[in-house]
Amino acid sequence: MRYSTQVKPISYLKANAAEVLLQLTERREPMVITQNGEAKAVLQDVASYEETQETLALLKLLALGNKDIEQGKVTPVGDVVARLRAKPSGK
């Protein structure tokens, strides 16, 4: 995705807020908002934002898992299976 096509000055956002929101929802591409020629903010639709947050949460879990592995904080799968089988089924 090329962000260069989605760069707009803050004056454009002020004058076309409803259109910008519709465009964000339809295209699902973020928009960079500039002020005095400098990038100041990124706008994106809610669905894309939620997907990004879910992805980041999964990546964080993976990173934490990798850290545990590096630190030797692991349990052999056979031990886990044995523990699960030993628990009462609750029937």
Side-chain angles (χ1 to χ4, degrees):
M1 169 184 338
R2 298 197 53 97
Y3 292 114
S4 60
T5 62
Q6 291 293 99
V7 177
K8 302 288 183 192
I10 196 165
S11 58
Y12 180 85
L13 176 62
K14 290 177 184 178
N16 301 286
E19 179 185 326
V20 167
L21 293 177
L22 182 62
Q23 180 180 352
L24 289 170
T25 302
E26 288 177 351
R27 291 187 184 175
R28 298 201 61 192
E29 294 177 353
M31 180 178 289
V32 177
I33 302 299
T34 63
Q35 186 176 34
N36 299 323
E38 292 183 34
K40 293 292 184 176
V42 177
L43 298 178
Q44 70 181 138
D45 64 286
V46 172
S48 295
Y49 176 78
E50 288 172 342
E51 288 175 6
T52 299
Q53 294 304 305
E54 290 172 7
T55 300
L56 289 173
L58 290 172
L59 288 171
K60 184 173 183 176
L61 287 173
L62 287 171
L64 291 171
N66 284 337
K67 185 177 178 183
D68 284 347
I69 291 169
E70 290 171 4
Q71 294 176 350
K73 297 178 183 177
V74 295
T75 304
V77 71
D79 293 353
V80 174
V81 171
R83 246 188 312 177
L84 290 172
R85 288 186 177 152
K87 287 188 178 183
S89 62
K91 292 182 182 178

